[in-house]
Amino acid sequence: MTPKHQSKQKFSDISLHCVHGGYPGASLARRTVSAGFEGLDPAPISNLAPDSAQRTTTALVRMGRPQMFAMSAGFFGVHFCSTLQIALVTPYFLHTLRASTQLSHFVWILGPISGMFTAPVVGYLSDGCSSRWGRRRPFILGGTVTALLALGLFGSATRVGLIIGASPIAVAIVAFGAVDFAANTLVWPLRAMISDLVGKDEQHLGQGMVSVQASLGEIASSIFLAKLDDPLEHMQRIVTVAIIILSTSVAVSIAVGRESPLQHHPLPDFSDKNSADEGPPGSTDQEAQDRDSSGELSETERIRECTIVAAIYGFGWLAWFCCLPYLSSWLGTSVLGGDPEAEAGSDLAERFQRGVELLGRFGIAKSVVGLVSAAVYPGVLRSMGLRPLLAFSYGLLCALFMMGWRAQSEFVAGMVIAGLGWPWSVTLSAPSAVILERYPQSRGALLGYLNLFAVVPQLLDATYTGTLVHATSEATLLFVASCWAGVAALTSACFLRS
């Protein structure tokens, strides 16, 4: 095969039956991921700028780690806000607004509903955006502005409700839904921009930087929360700080991520069948099917791997969303024996409030573990491989949630929450990096498709968690989460090949 032929790749029309696998959820995974991957050119383009086979946004410049770190700063603000959200939203609805247990859990359904539509659409639109500000930055800016306005409305729900004559609970629900919508508009283009501007061989490092910034944001948020004696009484102050942090951090990302306007180029000619069909001298037809001319996985194998990774990602989020938003309530009720509906100032009410405070302190330990994990993750991946890494991480998550199910002391609960730092860091980094590394084109759309494997689990969890807690306790959610994490670990161990 001539060098000219070796450099050419062929678009393949991969149908759904090309992806095999008998793992749980394989049918949903194949239908969703294959729809996103179908028709894309998976060929390695290590000698070209990102997306240069179809379009260019920047020149390929080797980016240093400090620049990657600064470009990921937006995730510091995003996770600063999300940590506060996880710690305070459920107690805020329960204790401050006096909403029912079912409603306090059901409001979390707003995020996945918006994410199911927002992330894929925004990802697709950003891939083809020809704004002079670049492909991703207009969406990042729009999402940030919307998030800031929605945060301000959420923190002033009681006051706004009195002014307009509406229920504060209704105002808070609308604001909470708007925050989730804005987050989906902001996060995925930001992640795609980072992927666009780093080299193909630096995708795991780039996504690792995202996890580092996320951990730093969680540490800062947890320290801030721990210093407040009664966080629920300081919601406006908390929201004001969150607005300042989010706007500042995203501004840094936009300033450092210097995109150039999108330049469309004609698609390369892939019509030469000889270049597509030939294999290395002496290779068999089967070898040609399994490997392309550069020794990389064939398109069928890439789709199979990405489908399994997406399914693992989905099972992982079924575990995370089952209990993550309710950890403060779990600490206050199942571990400390408090009651969110108890009279203010009573012993039961104070125990519940202490659970909210403890989550801030334990969250610091979790974030420190996550920070260390994010720093060493690329090296661990190189030494272990993807399958052992994911199997170990979700196996650890399964064990930790099982410990939390039986926890009756602050010490054990603190160990459980601190230990979540490692699987959390891997969840934030590995699946996205695998998808982005395997498919350089249409990163925004692919991240949108991958997001479906996060929002659909959240949607499913939101439909039963409130009823389950009402019938049993928050601790039961940790048992269910442990089961989902176990499925993710088994899927990793049994179906990934490397």
Side-chain angles (χ1 to χ4, degrees):
M1 183 185 298
T2 65
K4 177 181 178 181
H5 286 168
Q6 289 178 347
S7 66
K8 292 186 177 181
Q9 300 295 326
K10 179 182 178 181
F11 284 121
S12 300
D13 184 13
I14 302 299
S15 58
L16 299 183
H17 69 272
C18 291
V19 185
H20 300 286
Y23 51 88
S27 177
L28 174 62
R30 286 194 295 268
R31 287 196 301 270
T32 305
V33 175
S34 296
F37 297 150
E38 188 171 4
L40 294 178
D41 178 11
I45 52 171
S46 57
N47 295 324
L48 299 175
D51 290 352
S52 61
Q54 289 182 295
R55 59 192 67 177
T56 59
T57 54
T58 61
L60 180 60
V61 178
R62 180 64 64 175
M63 186 175 292
R65 295 193 180 199
Q67 191 175 359
M68 283 189 200
F69 181 77
M71 189 167 56
S72 305
F75 285 94
F76 178 95
V78 168
H79 283 266
F80 183 93
C81 295
S82 66
T83 301
L84 294 176
Q85 184 186 54
I86 289 170
L88 298 176
V89 166
T90 299
Y92 181 67
F93 274 99
L94 281 171
H95 188 73
T96 303
L97 300 180
R98 296 293 177 178
S100 66
T101 300
Q102 290 90 335
L103 179 60
S104 299
H105 286 249
F106 196 72
V107 294
W108 292 94
I109 203 172
L110 298 174
I113 288 176
S114 67
M116 286 179 65
F117 303 100
T118 306
V121 171
V122 167
Y124 175 79
L125 293 176
S126 71
D127 282 337
C129 178
S130 57
S131 167
R132 65 190 183 93
W133 298 104
R135 283 200 284 176
R136 318 296 183 185
R137 288 191 291 181
F139 295 91
I140 296 170
L141 181 59
T144 302
V145 171
T146 305
L148 299 179
L149 295 174
L151 283 171
L153 180 62
F154 184 81
S156 305
T158 302
R159 182 182 303 175
V160 172
L162 291 174
I163 293 174
I164 66 175
S167 165
I169 294 177
V171 174
I173 290 174
V174 171
F176 185 63
V179 169
D180 282 326
F181 168 81
N184 281 295
T185 306
L186 158 65
V187 167
W188 297 104
L190 180 55
R191 204 180 263 273
M193 183 181 74
I194 294 169
S195 179
D196 289 341
L197 299 177
V198 302
K200 178 181 179 293
D201 59 340
E202 294 179 322
Q203 293 300 322
H204 284 281
L205 180 59
Q207 298 305 313
M209 288 295 181
V210 169
S211 188
V212 168
Q213 288 284 13
S215 298
L216 290 173
E218 291 170 6
I219 291 172
S221 181
S222 298
I223 292 174
F224 173 62
L225 196 60
K227 288 185 174 296
L228 299 175
D229 294 333
D230 189 355
L232 296 179
E233 296 297 324
H234 299 88
M235 281 301 293
Q236 284 195 322
R237 177 185 173 188
I238 290 171
V239 166
T240 300
V241 173
I243 288 173
I244 294 172
I245 294 294
L246 179 62
S247 57
T248 303
S249 62
V250 173
V252 172
S253 290
I254 291 176
V256 176
R258 298 182 178 179
E259 296 183 290
S260 301
L262 178 65
Q263 300 294 326
H264 290 275
H265 295 281
L267 290 176
D269 181 12
F270 298 131
S271 60
D272 188 343
K273 295 183 178 181
N274 291 331
S275 65
D277 296 336
E278 286 185 29
S283 65
T284 65
D285 291 341
Q286 184 60 45
E287 289 171 345
Q289 293 175 6
D290 292 340
R291 297 278 171 176
D292 62 23
S293 59
S294 66
E296 297 286 340
L297 290 174
S298 66
E299 184 175 1
T300 302
E301 286 301 308
R302 288 168 191 270
I303 292 179
R304 180 187 184 278
E305 180 185 53
C306 291
T307 301
I308 296 173
V309 168
I312 295 167
Y313 190 63
F315 290 131
W317 280 117
L318 278 168
W320 285 115
F321 282 129
C322 184
C323 62
L324 197 61
Y326 319 118
L327 287 179
S328 57
S329 298
W330 163 68
L331 284 168
T333 56
S334 299
V335 177
L336 299 179
D339 184 355
E341 300 179 0
E343 183 179 352
S346 66
D347 179 61
L348 292 178
E350 290 180 356
R351 289 187 184 185
F352 182 79
Q353 290 285 352
R354 177 165 172 76
V356 178
E357 297 169 10
L358 281 177
L359 182 61
R361 298 173 187 175
F362 296 158
I364 297 173
K366 168 185 172 289
S367 301
V368 170
V369 173
L371 178 62
V372 175
S373 303
V376 303
Y377 151 75
V380 173
L381 177 64
R382 284 193 298 270
S383 61
M384 291 182 64
L386 184 63
R387 180 175 64 181
L389 175 66
L390 292 181
F392 168 76
S393 299
Y394 287 112
L396 175 62
L397 185 63
C398 174
L400 289 169
F401 281 147
M402 190 63 71
M403 287 177 56
W405 175 46
R406 309 301 299 174
Q408 296 293 321
S409 69
E410 292 182 13
F411 176 77
V412 174
M415 293 292 291
V416 168
I417 293 175
L420 295 177
W422 172 267
W424 179 247
S425 178
V426 171
T427 300
L428 292 180
S429 302
S432 298
V434 169
I435 302 298
L436 295 169
E437 184 180 49
R438 295 294 187 264
Y439 285 88
Q441 272 75 29
S442 303
R443 290 189 173 103
L446 286 175
L447 286 174
Y449 286 121
L450 182 64
N451 185 53
L452 293 176
F453 287 83
V455 299
V456 171
Q458 188 178 0
L459 180 64
L460 294 175
D461 284 338
T463 60
Y464 70 84
T465 51
T467 302
L468 187 61
V469 168
H470 184 71
T472 56
S473 68
E474 269 83 357
T476 307
L477 296 180
L478 274 76
F479 173 77
V480 176
S482 177
C483 295
W484 286 122
V487 174
L490 289 174
T491 304
S492 304
C494 296
F495 296 100
L496 282 177
R497 294 183 177 178
S498 61

